[in-house]
Amino acid sequence: MKQNHSTRFLDLNLCPLSEIVGDSCYPKLEIFMDLGNNSCNNCRLHKLYGDVTILKGMLNRKPMVLLFNEKDFEMLYRNEGVWPIREGTEVGKYYRKSRPEIFKTTGFLSTHGEEWFKFRSMVNPILMQPRNVLQYVDRMNIVADELNDNIKYLSEQNSNGEMPENFNIELYKWSLESIGVVTMDKHLEILAKASYLKAVIKETLRLVPIATGNLRTTVKKVVLGGYQIPTGTDVITNQLILCQMDQYFPRANEFVPERWLSTTIGELSYKNVNPVVYASFGYGPRAYVGKRLANLELEVALLKVIRNFEFKWPHEDMVFETKLFYGIARPLKLHVKPLNN
């Protein structure tokens, strides 16, 4: 039976964690094998159990609470403390611990407490300030030109301009090179005017975010959906599900970049949306530290390629899945035609 979690309860009426209804891991083998498609699985859990549910015994992990309500998102983030805990992957931690001659720590994603805070205090002023990030544009332009040349070369290798099955490798190389460049900017004006391009990127990340939700481990007792969640509980806020609901984003299943423009008014405007719902790079102090740099990479590269190529997708609809991140499940075999500029 679907639960109703819209009401806040008095302390005497709070339910314990053990009474949250959910799945004991994934009870059916076919669902477990489809774990990568966790967007569909989370939709299923939401429909079955409501705004608060739980996964128990998943891949030998402790129980994990799943949230599907913006008010509970807010409550969780307000109680995450000054040093929020977001557990990294066990595989990543194990690998780093097994190679102490190379890695001195278990990695930034798995670092917590004062060590994490010291690192963020050093890098935030550099990477989280728009003015500082913009100084990288000039070199990023050079890297984007190289991507442009590579796309042109690949488009000439067959009659329909189809990209090869490993085209994503070219995108990985472009991204990696972009991260490593630093110089002063000479092209700020054109980026400042690219408001619609930025809206396209935001709308894309609404529909296909890098991660489908955000993980936190509670640092104290917190009430979520009428349940008393104890300290040390893993909780996931499922932003992707909410981003596909009309109550948060009117015409949610449509690609509407205009909703992100400052000139858009009325119910379609992004200004009506609670910031905790749209969190493609995470939320709060543990939001992805490189989010401004990542957006800048996209803006610079897209400005280059959309002026030089026509892109088509003559295949069935794209399918997405979660591995380490959320992304396209099949080869990105775009059809590309160079434009005569």
Side-chain angles (χ1 to χ4, degrees), residues 155-190:
S155 72
E156 295 170 345
Q157 302 310 300
N158 55 71
S159 59
N160 55 15
E162 184 172 270
M163 295 293 100
E165 289 202 6
N166 64 347
F167 178 58
N168 60 314
I169 300 299
E170 291 297 324
L171 299 180
Y172 294 156
K173 290 192 293 185
W174 153 75
S175 180
L176 183 61
E177 287 190 54
S178 295
I179 291 172
V181 297
V182 179
T183 191
M184 294 304 293
D185 169 58
K186 297 179 182 178
H187 302 276
L188 300 185
E189 184 178 353
I190 189 170

PDB file of all heavy atoms in Angstrom, residues 155-190:
ATOM      1  N   SER A 155      33.891  12.578 -39.414  1.00  0.00           N
ATOM      2  CA  SER A 155      32.710  12.668 -40.282  1.00  0.00           C
ATOM      3  C   SER A 155      33.037  12.347 -41.731  1.00  0.00           C
ATOM      4  O   SER A 155      32.142  12.026 -42.525  1.00  0.00           O
ATOM      5  CB  SER A 155      32.093  14.071 -40.190  1.00  0.00           C
ATOM      6  OG  SER A 155      32.909  15.035 -40.837  1.00  0.00           O
ATOM      7  N   GLU A 156      34.313  12.424 -42.080  1.00  0.00           N
ATOM      8  CA  GLU A 156      34.736  12.177 -43.460  1.00  0.00           C
ATOM      9  C   GLU A 156      35.119  10.720 -43.708  1.00  0.00           C
ATOM     10  O   GLU A 156      35.502  10.358 -44.821  1.00  0.00           O
ATOM     11  CB  GLU A 156      35.923  13.084 -43.794  1.00  0.00           C
ATOM     12  CG  GLU A 156      35.562  14.571 -43.792  1.00  0.00           C
ATOM     13  CD  GLU A 156      36.787  15.467 -43.878  1.00  0.00           C
ATOM     14  OE1 GLU A 156      37.913  14.939 -43.655  1.00  0.00           O
ATOM     15  OE2 GLU A 156      36.631  16.672 -44.143  1.00  0.00           O
ATOM     16  N   GLN A 157      34.991   9.880 -42.678  1.00  0.00           N
ATOM     17  CA  GLN A 157      35.427   8.494 -42.810  1.00  0.00           C
ATOM     18  C   GLN A 157      34.353   7.564 -43.370  1.00  0.00           C
ATOM     19  O   GLN A 157      34.621   6.398 -43.638  1.00  0.00           O
ATOM     20  CB  GLN A 157      35.913   7.969 -41.455  1.00  0.00           C
ATOM     21  CG  GLN A 157      37.049   8.781 -40.852  1.00  0.00           C
ATOM     22  CD  GLN A 157      38.182   9.021 -41.832  1.00  0.00           C
ATOM     23  OE1 GLN A 157      38.790   8.064 -42.338  1.00  0.00           O
ATOM     24  NE2 GLN A 157      38.473  10.287 -42.119  1.00  0.00           N
ATOM     25  N   ASN A 158      33.119   8.068 -43.511  1.00  0.00           N
ATOM     26  CA  ASN A 158      32.068   7.272 -44.145  1.00  0.00           C
ATOM     27  C   ASN A 158      31.081   8.210 -44.821  1.00  0.00           C
ATOM     28  O   ASN A 158      31.096   9.425 -44.591  1.00  0.00           O
ATOM     29  CB  ASN A 158      31.359   6.360 -43.130  1.00  0.00           C
ATOM     30  CG  ASN A 158      30.816   7.133 -41.946  1.00  0.00           C
ATOM     31  OD1 ASN A 158      29.846   7.872 -42.078  1.00  0.00           O
ATOM     32  ND2 ASN A 158      31.444   6.969 -40.783  1.00  0.00           N
ATOM     33  N   SER A 159      30.224   7.655 -45.652  1.00  0.00           N
ATOM     34  CA  SER A 159      29.364   8.472 -46.511  1.00  0.00           C
ATOM     35  C   SER A 159      28.282   9.237 -45.756  1.00  0.00           C
ATOM     36  O   SER A 159      27.825  10.285 -46.215  1.00  0.00           O
ATOM     37  CB  SER A 159      28.702   7.585 -47.575  1.00  0.00           C
ATOM     38  OG  SER A 159      27.928   6.562 -46.958  1.00  0.00           O
ATOM     39  N   ASN A 160      27.833   8.727 -44.613  1.00  0.00           N
ATOM     40  CA  ASN A 160      26.758   9.421 -43.893  1.00  0.00           C
ATOM     41  C   ASN A 160      27.253  10.213 -42.689  1.00  0.00           C
ATOM     42  O   ASN A 160      26.460  10.747 -41.917  1.00  0.00           O
ATOM     43  CB  ASN A 160      25.673   8.432 -43.451  1.00  0.00           C
ATOM     44  CG  ASN A 160      26.239   7.286 -42.626  1.00  0.00           C
ATOM     45  OD1 ASN A 160      27.369   7.365 -42.146  1.00  0.00           O
ATOM     46  ND2 ASN A 160      25.465   6.228 -42.467  1.00  0.00           N
ATOM     47  N   GLY A 161      28.570  10.305 -42.528  1.00  0.00           N
ATOM     48  CA  GLY A 161      29.126  11.114 -41.446  1.00  0.00           C
ATOM     49  C   GLY A 161      28.883  10.553 -40.060  1.00  0.00           C
ATOM     50  O   GLY A 161      28.922  11.300 -39.075  1.00  0.00           O
ATOM     51  N   GLU A 162      28.653   9.243 -39.958  1.00  0.00           N
ATOM     52  CA  GLU A 162      28.349   8.646 -38.654  1.00  0.00           C
ATOM     53  C   GLU A 162      29.602   8.540 -37.797  1.00  0.00           C
ATOM     54  O   GLU A 162      30.652   8.092 -38.253  1.00  0.00           O
ATOM     55  CB  GLU A 162      27.727   7.265 -38.830  1.00  0.00           C
ATOM     56  CG  GLU A 162      27.295   6.625 -37.518  1.00  0.00           C
ATOM     57  CD  GLU A 162      26.517   5.350 -37.734  1.00  0.00           C
ATOM     58  OE1 GLU A 162      25.281   5.427 -37.853  1.00  0.00           O
ATOM     59  OE2 GLU A 162      27.158   4.279 -37.807  1.00  0.00           O
ATOM     60  N   MET A 163      29.466   8.951 -36.553  1.00  0.00           N
ATOM     61  CA  MET A 163      30.572   8.842 -35.616  1.00  0.00           C
ATOM     62  C   MET A 163      30.813   7.373 -35.251  1.00  0.00           C
ATOM     63  O   MET A 163      29.880   6.569 -35.234  1.00  0.00           O
ATOM     64  CB  MET A 163      30.277   9.642 -34.345  1.00  0.00           C
ATOM     65  CG  MET A 163      30.168  11.147 -34.558  1.00  0.00           C
ATOM     66  SD  MET A 163      31.735  11.950 -35.049  1.00  0.00           S
ATOM     67  CE  MET A 163      31.498  12.116 -36.839  1.00  0.00           C
ATOM     68  N   PRO A 164      32.050   7.002 -34.954  1.00  0.00           N
ATOM     69  CA  PRO A 164      32.358   5.609 -34.606  1.00  0.00           C
ATOM     70  C   PRO A 164      31.780   5.227 -33.245  1.00  0.00           C
ATOM     71  O   PRO A 164      31.378   6.089 -32.459  1.00  0.00           O
ATOM     72  CB  PRO A 164      33.890   5.590 -34.575  1.00  0.00           C
ATOM     73  CG  PRO A 164      34.271   6.997 -34.251  1.00  0.00           C
ATOM     74  CD  PRO A 164      33.246   7.860 -34.934  1.00  0.00           C
ATOM     75  N   GLU A 165      31.764   3.941 -32.963  1.00  0.00           N
ATOM     76  CA  GLU A 165      31.194   3.458 -31.704  1.00  0.00           C
ATOM     77  C   GLU A 165      31.946   3.986 -30.490  1.00  0.00           C
ATOM     78  O   GLU A 165      31.376   4.131 -29.415  1.00  0.00           O
ATOM     79  CB  GLU A 165      31.178   1.928 -31.680  1.00  0.00           C
ATOM     80  CG  GLU A 165      30.161   1.321 -32.629  1.00  0.00           C
ATOM     81  CD  GLU A 165      29.771  -0.085 -32.222  1.00  0.00           C
ATOM     82  OE1 GLU A 165      30.200  -0.533 -31.145  1.00  0.00           O
ATOM     83  OE2 GLU A 165      29.030  -0.724 -32.991  1.00  0.00           O
ATOM     84  N   ASN A 166      33.224   4.274 -30.649  1.00  0.00           N
ATOM     85  CA  ASN A 166      34.012   4.776 -29.519  1.00  0.00           C
ATOM     86  C   ASN A 166      34.151   6.299 -29.544  1.00  0.00           C
ATOM     87  O   ASN A 166      35.124   6.850 -29.031  1.00  0.00           O
ATOM     88  CB  ASN A 166      35.394   4.122 -29.509  1.00  0.00           C
ATOM     89  CG  ASN A 166      36.220   4.481 -30.740  1.00  0.00           C
ATOM     90  OD1 ASN A 166      35.695   5.014 -31.724  1.00  0.00           O
ATOM     91  ND2 ASN A 166      37.511   4.193 -30.687  1.00  0.00           N
ATOM     92  N   PHE A 167      33.176   6.983 -30.130  1.00  0.00           N
ATOM     93  CA  PHE A 167      33.229   8.448 -30.202  1.00  0.00           C
ATOM     94  C   PHE A 167      33.299   9.083 -28.814  1.00  0.00           C
ATOM     95  O   PHE A 167      33.860  10.158 -28.629  1.00  0.00           O
ATOM     96  CB  PHE A 167      32.014   8.979 -30.959  1.00  0.00           C
ATOM     97  CG  PHE A 167      31.944  10.476 -31.040  1.00  0.00           C
ATOM     98  CD1 PHE A 167      32.974  11.210 -31.617  1.00  0.00           C
ATOM     99  CD2 PHE A 167      30.856  11.164 -30.524  1.00  0.00           C
ATOM    100  CE1 PHE A 167      32.918  12.598 -31.688  1.00  0.00           C
ATOM    101  CE2 PHE A 167      30.785  12.552 -30.591  1.00  0.00           C
ATOM    102  CZ  PHE A 167      31.821  13.268 -31.173  1.00  0.00           C
ATOM    103  N   ASN A 168      32.737   8.396 -27.832  1.00  0.00           N
ATOM    104  CA  ASN A 168      32.789   8.940 -26.472  1.00  0.00           C
ATOM    105  C   ASN A 168      34.232   9.109 -25.989  1.00  0.00           C
ATOM    106  O   ASN A 168      34.515   9.973 -25.147  1.00  0.00           O
ATOM    107  CB  ASN A 168      32.015   8.040 -25.506  1.00  0.00           C
ATOM    108  CG  ASN A 168      32.569   6.631 -25.450  1.00  0.00           C
ATOM    109  OD1 ASN A 168      32.837   6.024 -26.486  1.00  0.00           O
ATOM    110  ND2 ASN A 168      32.730   6.097 -24.256  1.00  0.00           N
ATOM    111  N   ILE A 169      35.164   8.318 -26.551  1.00  0.00           N
ATOM    112  CA  ILE A 169      36.571   8.463 -26.169  1.00  0.00           C
ATOM    113  C   ILE A 169      37.093   9.840 -26.574  1.00  0.00           C
ATOM    114  O   ILE A 169      37.869  10.469 -25.836  1.00  0.00           O
ATOM    115  CB  ILE A 169      37.429   7.358 -26.817  1.00  0.00           C
ATOM    116  CG1 ILE A 169      36.942   5.974 -26.376  1.00  0.00           C
ATOM    117  CG2 ILE A 169      38.901   7.547 -26.468  1.00  0.00           C
ATOM    118  CD1 ILE A 169      37.033   5.732 -24.886  1.00  0.00           C
ATOM    119  N   GLU A 170      36.665  10.324 -27.742  1.00  0.00           N
ATOM    120  CA  GLU A 170      37.062  11.670 -28.169  1.00  0.00           C
ATOM    121  C   GLU A 170      36.551  12.721 -27.192  1.00  0.00           C
ATOM    122  O   GLU A 170      37.240  13.696 -26.887  1.00  0.00           O
ATOM    123  CB  GLU A 170      36.527  11.957 -29.571  1.00  0.00           C
ATOM    124  CG  GLU A 170      37.171  11.146 -30.677  1.00  0.00           C
ATOM    125  CD  GLU A 170      38.659  11.438 -30.807  1.00  0.00           C
ATOM    126  OE1 GLU A 170      39.066  12.599 -30.607  1.00  0.00           O
ATOM    127  OE2 GLU A 170      39.415  10.495 -31.099  1.00  0.00           O
ATOM    128  N   LEU A 171      35.334  12.516 -26.702  1.00  0.00           N
ATOM    129  CA  LEU A 171      34.765  13.468 -25.745  1.00  0.00           C
ATOM    130  C   LEU A 171      35.493  13.402 -24.408  1.00  0.00           C
ATOM    131  O   LEU A 171      35.695  14.422 -23.749  1.00  0.00           O
ATOM    132  CB  LEU A 171      33.277  13.184 -25.553  1.00  0.00           C
ATOM    133  CG  LEU A 171      32.420  13.306 -26.816  1.00  0.00           C
ATOM    134  CD1 LEU A 171      30.955  13.011 -26.501  1.00  0.00           C
ATOM    135  CD2 LEU A 171      32.547  14.699 -27.434  1.00  0.00           C
ATOM    136  N   TYR A 172      35.899  12.194 -24.008  1.00  0.00           N
ATOM    137  CA  TYR A 172      36.670  12.068 -22.770  1.00  0.00           C
ATOM    138  C   TYR A 172      38.006  12.803 -22.895  1.00  0.00           C
ATOM    139  O   TYR A 172      38.450  13.482 -21.957  1.00  0.00           O
ATOM    140  CB  TYR A 172      36.934  10.589 -22.449  1.00  0.00           C
ATOM    141  CG  TYR A 172      35.706   9.774 -22.129  1.00  0.00           C
ATOM    142  CD1 TYR A 172      35.707   8.391 -22.309  1.00  0.00           C
ATOM    143  CD2 TYR A 172      34.542  10.373 -21.655  1.00  0.00           C
ATOM    144  CE1 TYR A 172      34.584   7.627 -22.018  1.00  0.00           C
ATOM    145  CE2 TYR A 172      33.418   9.621 -21.367  1.00  0.00           C
ATOM    146  CZ  TYR A 172      33.444   8.246 -21.551  1.00  0.00           C
ATOM    147  OH  TYR A 172      32.329   7.504 -21.269  1.00  0.00           O
ATOM    148  N   LYS A 173      38.656  12.658 -24.048  1.00  0.00           N
ATOM    149  CA  LYS A 173      39.947  13.320 -24.248  1.00  0.00           C
ATOM    150  C   LYS A 173      39.789  14.836 -24.230  1.00  0.00           C
ATOM    151  O   LYS A 173      40.616  15.553 -23.654  1.00  0.00           O
ATOM    152  CB  LYS A 173      40.576  12.854 -25.572  1.00  0.00           C
ATOM    153  CG  LYS A 173      41.049  11.407 -25.548  1.00  0.00           C
ATOM    154  CD  LYS A 173      41.912  11.062 -26.753  1.00  0.00           C
ATOM    155  CE  LYS A 173      41.127  11.098 -28.039  1.00  0.00           C
ATOM    156  NZ  LYS A 173      41.936  10.659 -29.201  1.00  0.00           N
ATOM    157  N   TRP A 174      38.724  15.317 -24.885  1.00  0.00           N
ATOM    158  CA  TRP A 174      38.464  16.763 -24.865  1.00  0.00           C
ATOM    159  C   TRP A 174      38.256  17.258 -23.438  1.00  0.00           C
ATOM    160  O   TRP A 174      38.821  18.273 -23.023  1.00  0.00           O
ATOM    161  CB  TRP A 174      37.230  17.072 -25.720  1.00  0.00           C
ATOM    162  CG  TRP A 174      36.517  18.310 -25.279  1.00  0.00           C
ATOM    163  CD1 TRP A 174      36.905  19.600 -25.470  1.00  0.00           C
ATOM    164  CD2 TRP A 174      35.301  18.369 -24.521  1.00  0.00           C
ATOM    165  NE1 TRP A 174      36.008  20.463 -24.885  1.00  0.00           N
ATOM    166  CE2 TRP A 174      35.018  19.730 -24.303  1.00  0.00           C
ATOM    167  CE3 TRP A 174      34.426  17.408 -24.025  1.00  0.00           C
ATOM    168  CZ2 TRP A 174      33.887  20.144 -23.590  1.00  0.00           C
ATOM    169  CZ3 TRP A 174      33.306  17.814 -23.326  1.00  0.00           C
ATOM    170  CH2 TRP A 174      33.048  19.170 -23.118  1.00  0.00           C
ATOM    171  N   SER A 175      37.469  16.525 -22.661  1.00  0.00           N
ATOM    172  CA  SER A 175      37.185  16.937 -21.292  1.00  0.00           C
ATOM    173  C   SER A 175      38.442  16.930 -20.434  1.00  0.00           C
ATOM    174  O   SER A 175      38.698  17.867 -19.665  1.00  0.00           O
ATOM    175  CB  SER A 175      36.131  16.005 -20.684  1.00  0.00           C
ATOM    176  OG  SER A 175      35.832  16.381 -19.361  1.00  0.00           O
ATOM    177  N   LEU A 176      39.249  15.884 -20.576  1.00  0.00           N
ATOM    178  CA  LEU A 176      40.469  15.774 -19.779  1.00  0.00           C
ATOM    179  C   LEU A 176      41.447  16.894 -20.108  1.00  0.00           C
ATOM    180  O   LEU A 176      42.042  17.506 -19.213  1.00  0.00           O
ATOM    181  CB  LEU A 176      41.119  14.412 -20.017  1.00  0.00           C
ATOM    182  CG  LEU A 176      42.373  14.107 -19.192  1.00  0.00           C
ATOM    183  CD1 LEU A 176      42.055  14.127 -17.705  1.00  0.00           C
ATOM    184  CD2 LEU A 176      42.954  12.751 -19.596  1.00  0.00           C
ATOM    185  N   GLU A 177      41.609  17.182 -21.396  1.00  0.00           N
ATOM    186  CA  GLU A 177      42.520  18.259 -21.784  1.00  0.00           C
ATOM    187  C   GLU A 177      42.011  19.612 -21.306  1.00  0.00           C
ATOM    188  O   GLU A 177      42.792  20.475 -20.893  1.00  0.00           O
ATOM    189  CB  GLU A 177      42.701  18.270 -23.301  1.00  0.00           C
ATOM    190  CG  GLU A 177      43.548  17.125 -23.829  1.00  0.00           C
ATOM    191  CD  GLU A 177      43.895  17.309 -25.297  1.00  0.00           C
ATOM    192  OE1 GLU A 177      44.438  18.371 -25.648  1.00  0.00           O
ATOM    193  OE2 GLU A 177      43.609  16.393 -26.081  1.00  0.00           O
ATOM    194  N   SER A 178      40.703  19.809 -21.355  1.00  0.00           N
ATOM    195  CA  SER A 178      40.133  21.088 -20.927  1.00  0.00           C
ATOM    196  C   SER A 178      40.394  21.350 -19.454  1.00  0.00           C
ATOM    197  O   SER A 178      40.626  22.488 -19.036  1.00  0.00           O
ATOM    198  CB  SER A 178      38.623  21.106 -21.190  1.00  0.00           C
ATOM    199  OG  SER A 178      38.346  21.040 -22.570  1.00  0.00           O
ATOM    200  N   ILE A 179      40.349  20.293 -18.661  1.00  0.00           N
ATOM    201  CA  ILE A 179      40.567  20.444 -17.224  1.00  0.00           C
ATOM    202  C   ILE A 179      41.978  20.939 -16.934  1.00  0.00           C
ATOM    203  O   ILE A 179      42.214  21.691 -15.984  1.00  0.00           O
ATOM    204  CB  ILE A 179      40.311  19.094 -16.508  1.00  0.00           C
ATOM    205  CG1 ILE A 179      38.822  18.744 -16.560  1.00  0.00           C
ATOM    206  CG2 ILE A 179      40.783  19.139 -15.063  1.00  0.00           C
ATOM    207  CD1 ILE A 179      38.504  17.361 -16.058  1.00  0.00           C
ATOM    208  N   GLY A 180      42.924  20.535 -17.778  1.00  0.00           N
ATOM    209  CA  GLY A 180      44.318  20.838 -17.494  1.00  0.00           C
ATOM    210  C   GLY A 180      44.821  22.178 -17.976  1.00  0.00           C
ATOM    211  O   GLY A 180      46.016  22.452 -17.849  1.00  0.00           O
ATOM    212  N   VAL A 181      43.967  23.010 -18.529  1.00  0.00           N
ATOM    213  CA  VAL A 181      44.466  24.258 -19.105  1.00  0.00           C
ATOM    214  C   VAL A 181      44.099  25.467 -18.248  1.00  0.00           C
ATOM    215  O   VAL A 181      43.018  25.545 -17.684  1.00  0.00           O
ATOM    216  CB  VAL A 181      43.924  24.456 -20.538  1.00  0.00           C
ATOM    217  CG1 VAL A 181      44.426  23.345 -21.445  1.00  0.00           C
ATOM    218  CG2 VAL A 181      42.409  24.507 -20.564  1.00  0.00           C
ATOM    219  N   VAL A 182      45.033  26.390 -18.158  1.00  0.00           N
ATOM    220  CA  VAL A 182      44.819  27.619 -17.392  1.00  0.00           C
ATOM    221  C   VAL A 182      45.476  28.783 -18.134  1.00  0.00           C
ATOM    222  O   VAL A 182      46.643  28.714 -18.492  1.00  0.00           O
ATOM    223  CB  VAL A 182      45.440  27.534 -15.983  1.00  0.00           C
ATOM    224  CG1 VAL A 182      45.225  28.843 -15.220  1.00  0.00           C
ATOM    225  CG2 VAL A 182      44.873  26.364 -15.213  1.00  0.00           C
ATOM    226  N   THR A 183      44.724  29.855 -18.388  1.00  0.00           N
ATOM    227  CA  THR A 183      45.295  31.064 -18.985  1.00  0.00           C
ATOM    228  C   THR A 183      44.330  32.210 -18.793  1.00  0.00           C
ATOM    229  O   THR A 183      43.225  32.034 -18.284  1.00  0.00           O
ATOM    230  CB  THR A 183      45.585  30.860 -20.487  1.00  0.00           C
ATOM    231  OG1 THR A 183      46.361  31.958 -20.955  1.00  0.00           O
ATOM    232  CG2 THR A 183      44.325  30.742 -21.286  1.00  0.00           C
ATOM    233  N   MET A 184      44.682  33.405 -19.214  1.00  0.00           N
ATOM    234  CA  MET A 184      43.789  34.554 -19.124  1.00  0.00           C
ATOM    235  C   MET A 184      42.838  34.564 -20.308  1.00  0.00           C
ATOM    236  O   MET A 184      43.170  34.129 -21.401  1.00  0.00           O
ATOM    237  CB  MET A 184      44.590  35.857 -19.099  1.00  0.00           C
ATOM    238  CG  MET A 184      45.435  36.015 -17.857  1.00  0.00           C
ATOM    239  SD  MET A 184      44.454  35.908 -16.333  1.00  0.00           S
ATOM    240  CE  MET A 184      43.472  37.392 -16.487  1.00  0.00           C
ATOM    241  N   ASP A 185      41.641  35.101 -20.095  1.00  0.00           N
ATOM    242  CA  ASP A 185      40.568  35.055 -21.084  1.00  0.00           C
ATOM    243  C   ASP A 185      40.567  36.252 -22.020  1.00  0.00           C
ATOM    244  O   ASP A 185      40.879  37.364 -21.624  1.00  0.00           O
ATOM    245  CB  ASP A 185      39.222  34.989 -20.364  1.00  0.00           C
ATOM    246  CG  ASP A 185      38.072  35.194 -21.308  1.00  0.00           C
ATOM    247  OD1 ASP A 185      37.959  34.416 -22.257  1.00  0.00           O
ATOM    248  OD2 ASP A 185      37.322  36.157 -21.102  1.00  0.00           O
ATOM    249  N   LYS A 186      40.202  35.971 -23.296  1.00  0.00           N
ATOM    250  CA  LYS A 186      40.018  37.044 -24.269  1.00  0.00           C
ATOM    251  C   LYS A 186      38.683  36.915 -24.982  1.00  0.00           C
ATOM    252  O   LYS A 186      38.421  37.611 -25.939  1.00  0.00           O
ATOM    253  CB  LYS A 186      41.149  37.013 -25.304  1.00  0.00           C
ATOM    254  CG  LYS A 186      42.538  37.274 -24.712  1.00  0.00           C
ATOM    255  CD  LYS A 186      43.589  37.211 -25.790  1.00  0.00           C
ATOM    256  CE  LYS A 186      44.984  37.415 -25.221  1.00  0.00           C
ATOM    257  NZ  LYS A 186      46.029  37.305 -26.263  1.00  0.00           N
ATOM    258  N   HIS A 187      37.843  35.986 -24.523  1.00  0.00           N
ATOM    259  CA  HIS A 187      36.609  35.707 -25.244  1.00  0.00           C
ATOM    260  C   HIS A 187      35.398  35.737 -24.314  1.00  0.00           C
ATOM    261  O   HIS A 187      34.456  34.989 -24.483  1.00  0.00           O
ATOM    262  CB  HIS A 187      36.693  34.332 -25.920  1.00  0.00           C
ATOM    263  CG  HIS A 187      37.844  34.204 -26.858  1.00  0.00           C
ATOM    264  ND1 HIS A 187      37.808  34.621 -28.156  1.00  0.00           N
ATOM    265  CD2 HIS A 187      39.090  33.711 -26.658  1.00  0.00           C
ATOM    266  CE1 HIS A 187      38.981  34.373 -28.741  1.00  0.00           C
ATOM    267  NE2 HIS A 187      39.769  33.830 -27.852  1.00  0.00           N
ATOM    268  N   LEU A 188      35.416  36.590 -23.318  1.00  0.00           N
ATOM    269  CA  LEU A 188      34.334  36.612 -22.338  1.00  0.00           C
ATOM    270  C   LEU A 188      33.037  37.154 -22.917  1.00  0.00           C
ATOM    271  O   LEU A 188      31.957  36.739 -22.530  1.00  0.00           O
ATOM    272  CB  LEU A 188      34.739  37.467 -21.129  1.00  0.00           C
ATOM    273  CG  LEU A 188      35.981  37.007 -20.362  1.00  0.00           C
ATOM    274  CD1 LEU A 188      36.168  37.881 -19.133  1.00  0.00           C
ATOM    275  CD2 LEU A 188      35.858  35.554 -19.948  1.00  0.00           C
ATOM    276  N   GLU A 189      33.135  38.081 -23.842  1.00  0.00           N
ATOM    277  CA  GLU A 189      31.931  38.756 -24.335  1.00  0.00           C
ATOM    278  C   GLU A 189      30.963  37.792 -24.989  1.00  0.00           C
ATOM    279  O   GLU A 189      29.752  37.819 -24.731  1.00  0.00           O
ATOM    280  CB  GLU A 189      32.327  39.857 -25.325  1.00  0.00           C
ATOM    281  CG  GLU A 189      31.125  40.673 -25.802  1.00  0.00           C
ATOM    282  CD  GLU A 189      31.557  41.787 -26.730  1.00  0.00           C
ATOM    283  OE1 GLU A 189      32.752  42.013 -26.890  1.00  0.00           O
ATOM    284  OE2 GLU A 189      30.652  42.417 -27.304  1.00  0.00           O
ATOM    285  N   ILE A 190      31.473  36.895 -25.831  1.00  0.00           N
ATOM    286  CA  ILE A 190      30.583  35.980 -26.538  1.00  0.00           C
ATOM    287  C   ILE A 190      29.917  35.003 -25.568  1.00  0.00           C
ATOM    288  O   ILE A 190      28.750  34.645 -25.727  1.00  0.00           O
ATOM    289  CB  ILE A 190      31.342  35.217 -27.646  1.00  0.00           C
ATOM    290  CG1 ILE A 190      30.354  34.442 -28.520  1.00  0.00           C
ATOM    291  CG2 ILE A 190      32.385  34.281 -27.058  1.00  0.00           C
ATOM    292  CD1 ILE A 190      30.993  33.870 -29.761  1.00  0.00           C
TER     293      ILE A 190
END
